[in-house]
Amino acid sequence: MPSMNAVLFISFLLFSVGVAGVLIRRNVLIILMCVELMLNAANLNLVAFARHSGTVAGQAFALLVMGLAAAEVSIGLALVVALYRKKDTIQVDQINLLKG
Amino acid sequence: MDPLLASIGQYLFHIFGLMAVAGALALVFSKNAIHSIVGFLLSMLAVAGCYLTLSAEFLAVAQLLVYAGGIVVLFLFVVMLVEMTKFKEKGLFQSQAKWAVAAVLAGAVVILSVFWSTWFGPGASQALTLGPELGQGLDMATQNAQAISRGLYAGYLLPFEILSVILLVALVGAVVLAKTERV
Amino acid sequence: MPIHSSVLWLIPFLPLFGAILNGATGRWVKNTRLVDTIALGSMVLSFLLVLGCFAQLLGQAPANRSVDQTLWTWFDLGGARVLGGVTHNTMNWAYKFDPLSGAMALLVTGVGFLIHLFSTGYMAEERQNGTYYRFMAYLNLFVFSMLNLVLGANLIVMFLGWEGVGLCSYLLIGFYFEKEFCAIAGKKAFVTNRIGDFGFLIGFFLLFMVFGATDFDTLMGMTRTILARPEITLFGLSHAPTWWFNLIGCCLFLGACGKSAQIPLYVWLPDAMAGPTPVSALIHAATMVTSGLYMITRMNFIYVNAPVALALVLFIGALTALVAASMGLAQYDIKKVLAYSTVSQLGFMFMGMGAGAFTAGMFHVFTHAFFKAALFLGSGSVIMACHHEQDMRNMGGLRKLMPWTFASMGIATLAIAGIFPFSGFFSKDEILWRVFEGWYNGGHFNGSTLNLVTWIMGMLAAFMTAFYMVRLMVMTFFGEYRGAGHDPHGLTVPSEVVHAAGHDDGHDAHGHGHEAHAPHLPQEVPWNMWLPVAILAGLALVAGFLNIPHSLHWIGSSHFSAWLQPLLYQTGAHEAAEAVPAMEYILMAVATLVWAPAAMALAWWFYAVDPTWARPRAFVKRFPELFRWVNAKYYVDEFYQAAFIGPCKQLGAQLWAFDSLAVDGMVNGAARFTLLLSHAMHWFDAKVVDGLVNLVAWILQQISLGFRKFQSGRVQNYAFVMFLGFLVFAFWKFLA
């Protein structure tokens, strides 16, 4: 049985890496994958707290989040495809049509 | 052999956790997008392993199915679709990378300093024990699927249904967004 | 007690109505006969009314001889601060018909009517060119003004008439205003009159300040009281009453100088001959020029108590008489000779006034009116008969051609020369005797030397008068007619007659061709022209018997003096029943039997005996400078031009230049300044105000440029900021 803190620490690390990746990488797909990472880190947290408190809400929540993540990924990737078709690139710093 | 397995078993979660972090690092820092996806896959698998060590078997399998099976494949498809190996990236990292890293490190430092005593202090290694109340009268550890199903379909039915609608919406949306003009 | 009349006002106002009617309608009503009827009719009616009022006066006792009428209140000052305190005397438009004003009114309307009649014939050409109505209207207007002057019951109405006759004189002198010299002559008359009027007004104001009233009756009654004061203080000056009376008398006399053409304001009268001859006869012989004398007689209560003023009047009158008579000796224009004769005779009248003989002076006014009007009208007939010729050198021999005119003018000449028993003798000799007596003083020869000097001047002037009048008669009527080109002795000069519109227009009946054609011989003028002349000459013959002096009391009595006597201020000194000194008879005899005939004989000898006029010509050749000076009227006009008129005009030009430069310059400067101001404001608005507005816009732009950087359009920037925000959120509790 891992300790609560270890789980939390691991999920914290995962989340930080995910945030860093979102803010660092140019490639939009990598950024999406980092967003998934963050979601997973949150899931881990949820499961840990569900274990600790003995309720099932946490795990149900994590399940729902997973489903949501799936939906979000599909939409995101569809967006990327459409964007690629339009701009012929997937570098975020070239997608600046809203530049003021 | 048994004591070795027992000690490994004790630290299994940590191993899986570190594997997830390594995969995440590979995801963030590799040059090749395919390599990143592989790192992502590794991370997903490791997280599934984490779930197993936390006696959330249903969730682990769902993770494997959804993430490692579906999402990673999707990513692979899209990567191949955009033929990223063809063109050169200007640079791997964004122009704000330095600032971002600094900000993230700053944030990390602050959180660590806040939670240091909690995580690595004297009561740190308090195990993640099961609470005295059982989930819905079932033992979550041994009857995990039943417990989750009981909670999901009884207590959280509405979110479950809404999630299915969301999935439908996402499905339609993805089709609409990604279709070509010719069709 | 004065009689109140309700018809007195018609006497002056009938001619006024005639003038208004003719003046307003005459231009469109082309019937000149109608104009005649209106003008003559109003004159006749006025004359008859005067006769009626005169008869009314005759029926009264001498103390009651006054017919009054007050028309309305003209000035009500409320209360004026004068010498005695505050006076509430109101000035009314009132008329007073008493012996003096009645006699003058009779003269004005009577002689005025005769001259109107004469004008109907004389102004025949004007009937065609549409200016006839204007002439008649002006003549009527003049009679109205003159009647106001003589009938006025106070100084204000008299002054109204005074100014009115000046105006009408100007209008009538400049009747042919298209000719520049006529307009200039009219202007000269008016301006010179105005200078005199200034003196009159000063005298009038002083009179009002001292007496507090303007009514003649009131003034006469107050004189004794004012004289009884030891001292009168006005404007901070304090003098005896006599001093103030002297001042008033001198100021009023200045007005009389302007109106009656005395030195130094006589220069307008000879130039006034540019007007039509009837105008010269009426205004400048009989009526207007006598208004100054009338004024002095009215104001006798002032003059009798103002010896300095009287001495001034005497001296100026004598000087004028002498100088004007000398000028008349060398004139060739028939009307100019008569004009100078008028000035000279006016001087005589003032001499009479100055010697204290008011009635003698007034009597000379009347006799002079008759014979001078006769002479002027006769000369008008002559001019018209000679086809507008006015130069006597181009006339001659008219005695046989114009017998009636000759006879009338002959009688008038004898009258003016002072031959017994014509009227001029009685009036002129009475004046000269009174002047002499002032020095003679009943045999003591200790009177004022001024009287002696002026008497000598008067005698010399009388000599010259007789001389130039006979000269005029000989040149015009005797010898051969020189105007038809028949000039054996070379006496004619190039005629100045300008065809179709001469000096004074009186065209004869038959049309008149070019001067190159043989002009018709002059012939007698129609009845409506020689009849008034004859009537006036007849009056000149018999009028003398109205005022036979006391020394000749077996012939008749001095009706005229007695008539006027109640109006004079009685000083208490009265020469009622003194014995007549022998000197008077001697002087009378000398004047009429020796002095005047000698002058006439001299003139006859010069001009009639020798048709070539050799003696006058020799005289002129011997004294060319003298002749030049006299002929040029001693260059007085030129002197005035150089000394007064020229500098005045220069001042006017300088003031105009000042106005043009300074005042207009200021206006232009103001305009330029405004323009400059507007430029400055425009600059301010464009640079500063717009600059501020632009500055605000620029600031906003810079701010927005700064803020624009946030909108990079890049998702990763937005994500980073979100993360930072999250950090701040999360650690707010811990950091703060």
Side-chain angles (χ1 to χ4, degrees), chain C residues 384-661:
Chain C
M384 193 152 143
C386 292
H387 315 296
H388 316 297
E389 181 58 66
Q390 287 187 264
D391 197 312
M392 292 191 291
R393 292 172 287 190
N394 294 348
M395 299 178 193
L398 294 175
R399 178 165 56 105
K400 300 186 198 70
L401 300 166
M402 302 175 69
W404 282 104
T405 311
F406 168 67
S408 309
M409 284 187 76
I411 293 173
T413 306
L414 289 172
I416 198 174
I419 304 294
F420 181 89
F422 295 87
S423 57
F425 162 72
F426 291 106
S427 58
K428 206 184 332 184
D429 271 46
E430 180 69 15
I431 290 175
L432 285 170
W433 166 246
R434 294 296 287 270
V435 173
F436 184 75
E437 205 201 5
W439 175 67
Y440 183 68
N441 201 11
H444 303 290
F445 295 99
N446 57 355
S448 162
T449 322
L450 182 66
N451 281 54
L452 179 66
V453 171
T454 48
W455 179 81
I456 293 174
M457 288 159 88
M459 290 299 278
L460 281 171
F463 187 87
M464 290 188 211
T465 305
F467 183 87
Y468 65 63
M469 283 313 299
V470 173
R471 170 175 175 268
L472 183 145
M473 292 297 286
V474 167
M475 271 189 169
T476 310
F477 289 103
F478 289 85
E480 297 280 337
Y481 180 59
R482 293 181 288 271
H486 173 66
D487 182 23
H489 308 293
L491 297 168
T492 53
V493 291
S495 174
E496 283 180 11
V497 175
V498 175
H499 200 58
H503 281 271
D504 55 336
D505 267 323
H507 206 63
D508 51 4
H510 40 274
H512 179 50
H514 214 268
E515 273 158 16
H517 301 197
H520 303 268
L521 277 181
Q523 55 188 40
E524 188 60 85
V525 289
W527 71 271
N528 55 356
M529 286 175 69
W530 64 256
L531 185 62
V533 185
I535 293 176
L536 287 165
L539 282 169
L541 183 63
V542 302
F545 291 95
L546 276 175
N547 199 30
I548 309 285
H550 182 69
S551 47
L552 297 171
H553 56 87
W554 55 85
I555 303 176
S557 55
S558 49
H559 301 281
F560 191 77
S561 289
W563 181 251
L564 288 184
Q565 197 62 33
L567 289 171
L568 297 179
Y569 182 80
Q570 311 304 334
T571 51
H574 208 43
E575 10 77 51
E578 289 169 8
V580 179
M583 182 58 90
E584 192 176 343
Y585 292 110
I586 295 170
L587 283 178
M588 225 188 282
V590 164
T592 188
L593 294 173
V594 176
W595 197 243
M600 292 165 73
L602 189 67
W604 183 264
W605 183 49
F606 267 23
Y607 292 99
V609 167
D610 184 359
T612 64
W613 303 347
R615 284 192 196 278
R617 283 186 179 183
F619 185 82
V620 167
K621 253 207 258 293
R622 236 176 110 188
F623 303 104
E625 281 304 304
L626 180 67
F627 179 76
R628 186 171 65 84
W629 269 81
V630 177
N631 187 275
K633 301 161 284 186
Y634 307 116
Y635 295 110
V636 170
D637 281 318
E638 286 76 6
F639 169 69
Y640 277 176
Q641 183 73 32
F644 303 114
I645 299 171
C648 270
K649 283 193 176 167
Q650 189 123 31
L651 182 68
Q654 280 173 340
L655 287 175
W656 174 84
F658 171 74
D659 173 64
S660 168
L661 281 172

Side-chain angles (χ1 to χ4, degrees), chain C residues 192-250:
Chain C
T192 320
N193 260 316
R194 267 334 238 154
I195 298 173
D197 291 345
F198 165 71
F200 187 93
L201 276 173
I202 299 290
F204 175 28
F205 294 152
L206 282 171
L207 199 72
F208 185 69
M209 286 295 295
V210 171
F211 282 83
T214 52
D215 223 47
F216 292 133
D217 290 332
T218 319
L219 288 173
M220 185 92 112
M222 283 177 70
T223 316
R224 238 175 262 282
T225 330
I226 299 285
L227 278 175
R229 287 168 165 264
E231 201 173 58
I232 295 179
T233 308
L234 284 173
F235 312 116
L237 291 170
S238 211
H239 292 281
T242 313
W243 189 92
W244 289 104
F245 275 31
N246 276 329
L247 186 63
I248 293 171
C250 292

Side-chain angles (χ1 to χ4, degrees), chain A residues 19 23 92-93 95-96 99-100, chain C residues 708 711-714 716 720:
Chain A
V19 167
L23 297 178
V92 284
D93 48 1
I95 306 165
N96 58 356
K99 182 176 165 67
Chain C
R708 218 173 159 207
Q711 197 90 14
S712 62
R714 295 194 197 138
Q716 67 270 28
F720 182 38

Side-chain angles (χ1 to χ4, degrees), chain A residues 1-10 12-14 16-34 36-37 39-40 43-44 47-75 77-82 84-85 88-94, chain B residues 13-14 17 20-21 24 27-28 30 36-37 40 43-44 50-51 54-56 58-59 62-63 66-67 71 74-75 78-79 81-82 84 89-96 100-101 104 108 111-112 118-120 123-131 133-136 140 144 147-148 151-152 156 159-160 163 166-167 170 173-174 177-180:
Chain A
M1 288 288 121
S3 64
M4 178 80 150
N5 299 322
V7 181
L8 290 181
F9 187 65
I10 293 296
F12 165 69
L13 279 178
L14 270 176
S16 328
V17 172
V19 167
V22 164
L23 297 178
I24 289 177
R25 289 300 298 255
R26 257 179 228 267
N27 199 329
V28 73
L29 290 163
I30 308 294
I31 291 171
L32 274 171
M33 281 193 270
C34 293
E36 294 309 309
L37 255 185
L39 280 166
N40 277 297
N43 266 357
L44 207 54
V47 167
F49 278 109
R51 257 322 240 130
H52 181 72
S53 66
T55 59
V56 80
Q59 290 190 16
F61 201 161
L63 205 61
L64 292 170
V65 168
M66 234 182 273
L68 210 59
E72 173 243 324
V73 160
S74 61
I75 297 287
L77 286 172
L79 275 173
V80 168
V81 167
Y84 175 74
R85 286 220 189 95
D88 213 24
T89 177
I90 50 166
Q91 311 283 308
V92 284
D93 48 1
Q94 284 177 5
Chain B
F13 172 77
H14 302 85
V21 173
L27 161 64
V28 172
S30 22
S36 303
I37 292 177
F40 184 57
S43 194
M44 295 297 107
C50 288
Y51 288 150
L54 290 172
S55 311
F58 186 76
L59 222 56
Q63 166 94 357
V66 170
Y67 272 101
I71 288 176
L74 266 179
F75 269 108
V78 175
V79 162
L81 187 68
V82 302
M84 341 179 12
E89 297 181 4
K90 248 196 275 181
L92 209 56
F93 300 113
Q94 302 164 16
S95 51
Q96 69 183 18
V101 166
V104 169
I111 290 180
L112 274 176
T118 319
W119 285 340
F120 305 109
S125 51
Q126 192 178 15
L128 198 68
T129 54
L130 200 60
E133 294 155 32
L134 302 171
Q136 312 290 330
M140 271 199 13
N144 192 257
I148 286 180
L152 202 58
Y156 301 107
F160 182 76
L163 178 65
I166 289 174
L167 284 168
L177 280 171
K179 70 173 176 164
T180 57

Side-chain angles (χ1 to χ4, degrees), chain C residues 16-220:
Chain C
L16 178 68
F17 295 147
I20 291 173
L21 205 61
N22 272 338
T25 64
R27 181 185 267 206
W28 297 278
V29 174
K30 303 280 185 203
N31 188 354
T32 53
R33 293 287 161 208
L34 186 64
V35 172
D36 279 345
T37 318
I38 294 172
L40 285 175
S42 63
M43 287 303 297
V44 167
L45 285 174
S46 197
F47 180 65
L48 290 173
L49 271 170
V50 171
L51 276 178
C53 291
F54 204 81
Q56 219 176 359
L57 279 191
L58 280 171
Q60 298 285 320
N64 294 348
R65 286 199 182 127
S66 179
V67 181
D68 291 354
Q69 185 178 13
T70 305
L71 291 178
W72 61 78
T73 305
W74 195 2
F75 281 105
D76 185 358
L77 296 175
R81 181 162 288 283
V82 295
L83 179 65
V86 174
T87 179
H88 289 277
N89 186 270
T90 57
M91 301 181 207
N92 303 321
W93 189 301
Y95 292 123
K96 190 161 105 87
F97 196 96
D98 66 8
L100 179 63
S101 59
M104 286 297 293
L106 208 58
L107 179 73
V108 170
T109 48
V111 175
F113 168 69
L114 289 172
I115 293 180
H116 272 75
L117 186 61
F118 182 84
S119 317
T120 57
Y122 191 80
M123 304 296 285
E125 183 171 296
E126 269 61 32
R127 288 183 193 273
Q128 266 77 50
N129 65 11
T131 56
Y132 188 71
Y133 76 94
R134 196 157 59 91
F135 185 77
M136 286 309 197
Y138 286 161
L139 273 186
N140 271 2
L141 190 67
F142 170 79
V143 173
F144 164 71
S145 305
M146 191 70 202
L147 284 170
N148 263 330
L149 200 158
V150 297
L151 287 176
N154 52 36
L155 266 171
I156 283 271
V157 180
M158 181 201 246
F159 189 63
L160 174 84
W162 191 272
E163 292 291 323
V165 296
L167 170 72
C168 294
S169 169
Y170 161 76
L171 287 171
L172 283 164
I173 292 172
F175 184 70
Y176 302 114
F177 55 79
E178 294 96 4
K179 298 202 206 57
E180 198 177 337
F181 70 86
C182 294
I184 290 175
K187 191 171 63 166
K188 188 172 182 175
F190 197 77
V191 173
T192 320
N193 260 316
R194 267 334 238 154
I195 298 173
D197 291 345
F198 165 71
F200 187 93
L201 276 173
I202 299 290
F204 175 28
F205 294 152
L206 282 171
L207 199 72
F208 185 69
M209 286 295 295
V210 171
F211 282 83
T214 52
D215 223 47
F216 292 133
D217 290 332
T218 319
L219 288 173
M220 185 92 112

